Amino acid sequence: RENRRSVISLSPNAEVLDCCCYAGGFGLLAAKSGAASVTFADAADSSLELVRKNADANNISTGNLEFIRGDAFQLDMRIILI
């Protein structure tokens, strides 16, 4: 619960990366809490499809969501933590 409260408070206007996203719980919560964009990364197509279904079930627009299939530990992504 504490982690989810943190996501809600940190999400407005943020660019969020949800690695090993499985069902997308944290990333979708960030999107619903006002994130500017959310990128979901997972090695399984089935997980990314589950995120899409969960977004639809929760009336979350996919316009600011990006889906990347690949091993999160091998993807070449530049991340800046603030």
Side-chain angles (χ1 to χ4, degrees):
R1 292 181 186 171
E2 185 176 323
N3 288 342
R4 292 190 186 271
R5 280 193 294 271
S6 294
V7 167
I8 292 168
S9 67
L10 295 170
S11 293
N13 302 310
E15 294 181 6
V16 176
L17 173 62
D18 188 349
C19 285
C20 306
C21 62
Y22 182 54
F26 284 103
L28 291 174
L29 180 58
K32 197 161 191 151
S33 299
S37 66
V38 181
T39 300
F40 296 92
D42 202 284
D45 284 328
S46 59
S47 291
L48 298 174
E49 183 58 32
L50 184 55
V51 175
R52 288 183 179 93
K53 287 179 182 179
N54 286 336
D56 186 52
N58 288 282
N59 298 314
I60 299 171
S61 170
T62 57
N64 67 338
L65 307 183
E66 181 180 4
F67 302 90
I68 299 174
R69 185 188 175 285
D71 183 335
F73 300 101
Q74 295 181 5
L75 292 172
D76 184 19
M77 292 189 274
R78 306 292 187 256
I79 301 170
I80 300 172
L81 300 175
I82 299 173

